[in-house]
Amino acid sequence: MLSITRADVKRKLRLTTTEYDAEIDALIAEMVPALRYAIEPSYLNASDADLQATLRLGALEVIAGEMGATLYRELGAWTGFRLGWLQVAPPALRDPADPTGLKAQGYARLQPFLKREARLLFIYRAREEEEP
């Protein structure tokens, strides 16, 4: 069975406050069933502990990546400042939808275990961009 905890997501994102606990819980409740549905049941029900750890890690990366993207979309996250010669600017991101890269990493980790007809949107877009 695939299960992700709030503590896992907070550890992955290095969050130490309780400010985002409700958002993380809601994200887990939304995403885990969808990820579980996309994975081939034979893999979900397998007794191989390493396989289960791989599936869990992939799901954790996807959820933590989505939470990371949420944090980057917060008001003020893209604000820089200048004080005399010191200028602090937010980093230039290649993909604001996945600023940490965790979503892509998690989807790539889960991809071999997905149902044949399952199309997770992120994977589909990545494939379109790779084609000439």
Side-chain angles (χ1 to χ4, degrees):
M1 189 50 109
L2 191 63
S3 65
I4 306 298
T5 66
R6 178 191 324 140
D8 294 333
V9 175
K10 289 174 76 170
R11 177 186 48 80
K12 198 66 146 171
L13 292 173
R14 300 182 58 91
L15 293 174
T16 57
T17 67
T18 59
E19 181 179 357
Y20 300 103
D21 286 0
E23 282 184 68
I24 293 170
D25 290 343
L27 198 56
I28 290 170
E30 290 172 356
M31 294 190 77
V32 167
L35 292 171
R36 196 179 312 131
Y37 179 75
I39 297 170
E40 184 66 45
S42 62
Y43 295 120
L44 282 175
N45 299 325
S47 61
D48 184 352
D50 293 337
L51 172 60
Q52 294 304 314
T54 301
L55 296 176
R56 189 172 181 283
L57 179 58
L60 172 60
E61 289 169 341
V62 170
I63 294 168
E66 184 61 40
M67 187 62 202
T70 300
L71 294 173
Y72 274 96
R73 288 190 298 263
E74 273 196 5
L75 185 62
W78 294 97
T79 305
F81 68 90
R82 180 180 223 152
L83 182 62
W85 57 268
L86 176 65
Q87 181 175 352
V88 176
L93 299 174
R94 286 183 19 199
D95 184 7
D98 189 16
T100 62
L102 283 171
K103 284 193 321 189
Q105 183 174 308
Y107 282 129
R109 192 178 310 276
L110 291 175
Q111 198 275 332
F113 308 106
L114 297 179
K115 293 177 185 173
R116 185 176 181 156
E117 68 277 1
R119 292 280 189 228
L120 296 174
L121 183 60
F122 197 83
I123 293 172
Y124 184 73
R125 285 185 185 164
R127 286 187 185 151
E128 282 183 345
E129 291 172 5
E130 290 175 5
E131 293 177 4

